[in-house]
């Protein structure tokens, strides 16, 4: 797939970054290991003989330029993205290469669309934010479920997780995100983002088998409220999270993910259920798999592959469902997720 092309991974030594490095190698790319901690980079490079470590700091543009030298694209895995996204995007624009990140932070994704859309389009550059389990997968599923509809009344994206063992990076990024929005929930209602201080309600979501109906937190703040409306005409985008997973995330003593197989994946399973409604019609897309952090890697790497091979529909800042053919992209992940489309 990669034909030896070099792809820089900023935050390569992080939990998700390691999965991305392994996925790039598996598909014939040559990862460039980058990030802020030189010691962690050298330790990672020692475990991957032949890979180059290039320390870089978001506060040092020269170091970022050196880190991206010779790369065909960069995947930013280093949160909080409120701090890292803009400097790494600027470096990618200077280098004339594609940028992909795995940001789940709503505010960081809003900033990327707001600050770089015009510049990236004018430069013919490709910037894909939130190309991850949160934001990217939901957007692809919603786009696939839309099919030939050009608009819909509402989209519901429900996350069924067997549990959630958050990484340290998830906790830090979440804290920054909550601080930026003053602790408010973010929902997408009446065609706009709405910042709310009221408590979310709970309801029972009819997940398909094998999960079955589960209690969920209604309108749990998720990146899908940014990615989906960025290109689909849907005035109501609602996101849900199983109560148990939300409790795991909020509990201060929930452990970080524990590897249980040779690929480093945890035992966590997930089922993402998307329902799109228009008039009296309803369409559904369902994806299931294992380990929300591990599955982010094939999402990001498939995105890079498609960008570098010209399998894109637009330039500029674009979410996954806008820039890629959603059904084709999802089918390409068949070794990582099970997919069902009910159109």
């Amino acid at each position: 797939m990669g034909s030896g092309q070099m792809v820089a991974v900023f935050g390569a030594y992080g939990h998700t970054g390691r999965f991305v490095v392994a996925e790039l190698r598996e598909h014939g790319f040559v990862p460039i290991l980058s990030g802020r901690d030189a010691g962690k980079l050298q330790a990672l490079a020692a475990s991957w003989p032949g890979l180059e470590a290039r320390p870089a700091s978001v506060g040092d543009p020269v170091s970022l330029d050196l880190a991206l030298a010779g790369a065909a694209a960069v995947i930013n895995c280093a949160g909080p993205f409120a701090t890292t996204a803009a400097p790494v995007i600027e470096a990618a624009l200077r280098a004339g290469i594609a940028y992909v990140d795995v940001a789940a932070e709503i505010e960081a994704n809003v900033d990327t669309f707001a600050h770089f859309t015009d510049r990236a389009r004018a430069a013919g550059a490709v910037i894909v934010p939130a190309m991850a389990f949160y934001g990217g997968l939901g957007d692809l599923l919603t786009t696939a479920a839309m099919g030939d509809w050009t608009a819909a009344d509402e989209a519901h994206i429900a996350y069924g997780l067997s549990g959630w063992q958050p990484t340290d990076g998830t906790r830090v990024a979440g804290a920054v995100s909550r601080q930026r929005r003053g602790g408010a929930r973010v929902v997408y209602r009446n065609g706009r983002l709405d910042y709310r201080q009221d408590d979310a309600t709970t309801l029972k979501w009819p997940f398909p088998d094998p999960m079955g109906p589960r209690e969920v937190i209604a309108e749990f703040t998720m990146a899908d409220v940014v990615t989906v409306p960025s290109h689909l005409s849907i005035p109501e985008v609602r996101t849900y999270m199983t109560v148990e997973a939300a409790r795991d995330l909020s509990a201060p003593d929930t452990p970080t993910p524990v590897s249980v197989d040779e690929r480093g994946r945890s035992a966590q399973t997930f089922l993402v259920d998307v329902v799109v409604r228009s008039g009296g019609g309803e369409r559904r897309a369902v994806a299931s798999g294992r380990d929300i952090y591990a599955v982010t890697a094939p999402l990001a790497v498939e995105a890079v592959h498609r960008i570098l091979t010209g399998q894109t529909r637009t330039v500029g800042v674009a979410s996954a469902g806008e820039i890629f053919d959603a059904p084709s992209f999802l089918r390409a992940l068949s070794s990582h997720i099970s997919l069902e489309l009910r159109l």
Side-chain angles (χ1 to χ4, degrees):
M1 179 190 286
S3 301
Q5 291 174 295
M6 292 194 296
V7 176
V9 182
F10 190 70
Y13 48 75
H15 187 80
T16 301
R18 289 172 178 267
F19 283 118
V20 169
V21 170
E23 188 75 15
L24 285 168
R25 282 176 55 90
E26 184 175 333
H27 290 286
F29 292 101
V30 178
I32 298 169
L33 311 179
S34 189
R36 294 161 284 195
D37 191 313
K40 290 181 179 179
L41 280 178
Q42 291 300 333
L44 180 61
S47 66
W48 292 105
L51 296 189
E52 185 180 358
R54 299 182 185 176
S57 167
V58 294
D60 182 355
V62 173
S63 70
L64 286 173
D65 291 344
L66 292 173
L68 303 192
V74 57
I75 302 176
N76 183 5
C77 300
F81 292 89
T83 301
T84 69
V88 181
I89 291 172
E90 293 283 5
L93 289 172
R94 289 193 298 272
I97 64 175
Y99 170 93
V100 171
D101 73 32
V102 298
E105 298 163 44
I106 288 176
E107 298 73 31
N109 290 319
V110 169
D111 288 348
T112 296
F113 278 101
H115 297 159
F116 292 101
T117 293
D118 292 342
R119 285 178 57 195
R121 186 180 295 120
V126 173
I127 297 172
V128 186
M131 194 63 245
F133 177 80
Y134 291 123
L137 181 57
D139 183 40
L140 288 165
L141 291 169
T142 304
T143 306
M146 286 281 287
D148 59 356
W149 287 354
T150 58
D153 299 323
E154 58 192 44
H156 301 264
I157 306 167
Y159 289 90
L161 274 58
S162 62
W164 191 347
Q165 295 178 318
T167 65
D168 292 338
T170 293
R171 290 193 182 278
V172 171
V176 170
S177 185
R178 286 191 299 275
Q179 182 179 30
R180 290 189 67 189
R181 62 177 185 267
R185 299 190 295 120
V186 186
V187 301
Y188 192 81
R189 296 279 192 88
N190 300 314
R192 65 180 181 86
L193 290 175
D194 185 13
Y195 290 75
R196 306 175 63 96
Q197 295 290 344
D198 58 334
D199 293 331
T201 60
T202 60
L203 54 83
K204 184 163 286 188
W205 183 266
F207 288 103
D209 292 334
M211 179 163 284
R214 300 281 291 275
E215 290 291 324
V216 298
I217 294 179
E219 296 191 274
F220 188 84
T221 298
M222 306 294 289
D224 308 282
V225 299
V226 177
T227 56
V228 171
S230 72
H231 69 105
L232 294 177
S233 180
I234 308 176
E236 306 282 327
V237 179
R238 305 192 180 188
T239 54
Y240 310 83
M241 176 63 68
T242 44
V243 168
E244 297 89 345
R247 287 174 180 163
D248 286 344
L249 177 63
S250 62
D253 57 350
T254 303
T256 56
V258 177
S259 171
V260 297
D261 68 11
E262 70 284 352
R263 296 171 61 182
R265 297 181 302 174
S266 71
Q268 178 203 58
T269 58
F270 63 81
L271 189 152
V272 185
D273 187 21
V274 173
V275 177
V276 179
R277 297 189 179 112
S278 181
E282 178 178 292
R283 293 176 172 179
R284 196 169 196 167
V286 181
S288 59
R290 181 174 166 188
D291 194 325
I292 63 174
Y293 296 106
V295 81
T296 287
L299 281 159
V301 173
E302 180 66 19
V304 166
H305 164 65
R306 290 183 175 235
I307 293 167
L308 297 182
T309 54
Q311 299 178 66
T312 54
R313 294 176 161 179
T314 187
V315 296
V317 180
S319 61
E322 179 180 14
I323 196 167
F324 305 119
D325 178 85
S328 170
F329 193 110
L330 290 165
R331 287 193 294 270
L333 303 178
S334 61
S335 62
H336 302 279
I337 64 171
S338 296
L339 174 68
E340 181 180 3
L341 298 177
R342 304 176 187 178
L343 305 181

